[in-house]
Amino acid sequence: MSVQSNASYFFIPFQLQEPLDFLETVRRLDRSDCWTPVGERILYFMKYVSDKLDTGDPEHCQCFRFCLNPEARGRFGLSEPDSVYHIEPLRHVAEQETYPFYLGDVELFCFRTSVCILAIQVSFLKNDPIHISSGQFYLKKVAKEKVYPQSGTGSFTLLELARRLMDTLGEKVPPVPFFFANPGSERANVFSRLEVPPQEDYDRELFYLRRCYSEGYLYQPDPELDAREIYRPAQDTVWGMSAEAAVCLVCPERGKEQFLRGAFYRNFKSQYLLMYVLLLHQKYVLYLFLTEVGTGIRDDLALLESYRERLYDFMTDFVFSRISEVPQYQNLYDRLQHVFALEELFDDVREPLAALRNLQLEQDAKKQQRQDARINRMLFVLSLLTGFSVLSDGHAAIESYASPYLPPLLVEGLQYGFAALVIGALAWGIITLIRSDRK
């Protein structure tokens, strides 16, 4: 593996639209001559995490990773990995900067949730932090910024390239990129590693790189924010992160060149990259849930039930508070969770489940009302059947007890009054029953 002084990954999410067998999609990729499966060992994650990423057990594997074959690059308009690309010259920059770069590896992560993530690697020719951050500022606008080959013709955006690559999935309905964003506002997350010279601190560099700011932004220190978004695991390594990007600065000149350009570089492109993709996947799936909630699901009990089941499955398979006993990984994982605001997103996603509970209570109450109404009707029918007996018995009782003491006309009046009272009670019951049925 050749070591590059800087490497940036731009991530483009897609949602598969067809409710097909996930493993069939993976098999098509396996059979394709465009993609090669990546089955690298997960070295530093907990077993309950690595088991879910074990491609050797496809029935239970939750994520499959593929790399674009170098021989297939030409089919998608890509030159060799050592070919130079650039963006359109910036008219507002005096030196007409084009930020030349190499377009390297392209990787695809397919998750069972129907969310796929493309990772496109870029390495800038000029290894200057502010220059690289400015280049990222333009390239992260994947739907707008055109990329031009240094030699040859034709241009494309990174999103256009991603669409071509996703066509290899063979889906009848094309996958939807940035399914949570309004068209034209698509912005890629960026994950990068840079080699830097020794200096007292890198706060200014991280101010730009962890947000992919262009050099036109004025540097403004914020110690409180820096404490949350900057992580220093070692004297020669420092991380910066935000909702849009994460960057690792390494300083080989401090004495550990062999490690930083050897084991750490390999881990950055495998273990650290995978960890970042897993967190991105969480964020994108939560965006997907929130998008679905906004389309009328709140009033549909069946859809809410399906929503709850999918959310519980997602949390079981992909959401972990601890992924590693290695502090460098776990501490970075914790900080990235915070800058992605995943806990707040989970709160938003769980809120519709409260609506589900309310709907269930309302439906239970209505069901109970219907049962009560049926019982009342049955009782009323029984009372109707016994009404004639009551009238007869009452008529006989009045005559038996009142006739020895009262005149016949008064006894007859009492009998008619009793009959009117019973008939009135029955009529009131009928009216009440009819009104309750209408409600």
Side-chain angles (χ1 to χ4, degrees):
M1 182 184 295
S2 61
V3 179
Q4 296 154 316
S5 57
N6 69 83
S8 302
Y9 289 91
F10 293 81
F11 300 97
I12 301 179
F14 284 84
Q15 182 196 5
L16 303 180
Q17 295 296 290
E18 293 182 311
L20 296 178
D21 182 3
F22 171 73
L23 288 179
E24 179 55 34
T25 299
V26 172
R27 292 187 193 103
R28 287 202 300 268
L29 287 168
D30 276 331
R31 294 191 297 265
S32 169
D33 58 356
C34 295
W35 299 95
T36 299
V38 178
E40 192 169 5
R41 281 183 62 201
I42 309 299
L43 299 175
Y44 304 110
F45 294 175
M46 297 289 200
K47 189 176 186 300
Y48 56 77
V49 179
S50 60
D51 282 351
K52 295 180 182 296
L53 307 174
D54 181 9
T55 56
D57 182 11
E59 292 297 329
H60 299 97
C61 183
Q62 301 297 317
C63 173
F64 292 84
R65 182 176 180 178
F66 299 87
C67 186
L68 182 67
N69 292 330
E71 299 80 10
R73 292 172 64 95
R75 303 183 193 179
F76 306 100
L78 294 177
S79 305
E80 296 300 318
D82 58 353
S83 300
V84 178
Y85 293 82
H86 62 83
I87 66 171
E88 188 173 0
L90 302 173
R91 297 175 182 175
H92 61 278
V93 178
E95 298 180 359
Q96 294 284 291
E97 182 60 76
T98 62
Y99 301 99
F101 58 88
Y102 301 112
L103 210 162
D105 294 339
V106 178
E107 298 194 50
L108 174 62
F109 298 83
C110 290
F111 293 87
R112 282 188 187 268
T113 56
S114 79
V115 172
C116 297
I117 299 176
L118 268 172
I120 302 173
Q121 182 192 336
V122 163
S123 295
F124 293 90
L125 272 61
K126 184 178 179 180
N127 190 47
D128 174 74
I130 308 304
H131 172 89
I132 291 173
S133 181
S134 296
Q136 292 172 346
F137 172 79
Y138 296 103
L139 285 176
K140 72 181 179 182
K141 302 170 184 177
V142 293
K144 295 181 178 179
E145 196 63 48
K146 289 283 187 179
V147 172
Y148 298 84
Q150 194 86 331
S151 58
T153 59
S155 63
F156 55 87
T157 66
L158 292 185
L159 184 56
E160 289 171 346
L161 171 62
R163 288 183 187 275
R164 295 178 207 161
L165 292 166
M166 291 302 291
D167 284 343
T168 60
L169 291 177
E171 304 292 305
K172 295 180 181 178
V173 181
V176 178
F178 291 97
F179 45 86
F180 50 85
N182 291 317
S185 66
E186 300 91 344
R187 296 158 69 96
N189 266 73
V190 183
F191 185 64
S192 52
R193 171 196 175 275
L194 285 71
E195 294 185 2
V196 291
Q199 61 189 55
E200 184 176 348
D201 67 60
Y202 301 95
D203 292 352
R204 184 173 184 274
E205 289 80 0
L206 291 172
F207 170 83
Y208 288 91
L209 284 164
R210 75 179 190 258
R211 301 179 177 92
C212 299
Y213 278 170
S214 73
E215 55 193 332
Y217 283 80
L218 298 178
Y219 173 53
Q220 176 60 51
D222 187 339
E224 184 178 343
L225 191 61
D226 290 349
R228 297 195 299 269
E229 297 185 352
I230 295 178
Y231 169 51
R232 297 177 177 86
Q235 191 178 40
D236 54 8
T237 307
V238 59
W239 290 86
M241 62 208 75
S242 72
E244 280 199 289
V247 58
C248 180
L249 302 183
V250 297
C251 183
E253 296 178 39
R254 290 193 183 273
K256 297 185 67 176
E257 177 181 354
Q258 184 175 356
F259 169 73
L260 292 175
R261 291 179 173 170
F264 184 83
Y265 184 73
R266 291 191 296 272
N267 288 338
F268 174 82
K269 292 174 69 69
S270 58
Q271 315 291 307
Y272 284 104
L273 175 62
L274 178 59
M275 182 181 69
Y276 193 75
V277 167
L278 290 175
L279 287 166
L280 274 184
H281 173 253
Q282 285 189 39
K283 182 172 77 166
Y284 293 145
V285 172
L286 292 174
Y287 285 166
L288 176 61
F289 280 125
L290 290 173
T291 303
E292 292 177 350
V293 169
T295 57
I297 192 175
R298 292 173 183 269
D299 300 322
D300 191 314
L301 186 59
L303 284 177
L304 277 172
E305 287 282 8
S306 172
Y307 176 96
R308 179 171 63 180
E309 292 176 5
R310 289 169 50 219
L311 177 59
Y312 287 166
D313 288 343
F314 165 68
M315 294 180 68
T316 300
D317 292 329
F318 295 105
V319 180
F320 310 100
S321 58
R322 293 197 63 82
I323 65 161
S324 177
E325 284 288 295
V326 181
Q328 294 92 323
Y329 287 89
Q330 185 60 47
N331 292 339
L332 181 62
Y333 183 83
D334 291 340
R335 289 171 180 263
L336 286 169
Q337 280 186 311
H338 177 74
V339 297
F340 281 172
L342 292 181
E343 188 58 42
E344 290 82 352
L345 282 174
F346 272 112
D347 289 340
D348 291 340
V349 168
R350 292 187 190 103
E351 190 273 334
L353 298 182
L356 171 61
R357 178 61 178 163
N358 291 335
L359 275 176
Q360 288 175 327
L361 291 174
E362 289 177 7
Q363 292 209 352
D364 289 344
K366 290 179 180 178
K367 183 178 179 181
Q368 186 62 46
Q369 288 178 350
R370 289 193 295 269
Q371 290 177 343
D372 292 344
R374 283 196 294 269
I375 292 172
N376 290 335
R377 283 193 293 269
M378 293 173 62
L379 292 174
F380 186 71
V381 169
L382 291 174
S383 67
L384 284 176
L385 295 175
T386 58
F388 295 104
S389 176
V390 170
L391 284 173
S392 176
D393 292 344
H395 186 277
I398 291 173
E399 183 174 358
S400 173
Y401 291 103
S403 57
Y405 308 103
L406 299 175
L409 286 176
L410 187 55
V411 171
E412 187 177 352
L414 288 173
Q415 290 173 330
Y416 281 117
F418 175 75
L421 183 63
V422 172
I423 293 172
L426 292 175
W428 177 81
I430 293 172
I431 294 171
T432 301
L433 190 62
I434 292 172
R435 287 178 178 175
S436 65
D437 284 345
R438 287 178 178 175
K439 291 180 180 180

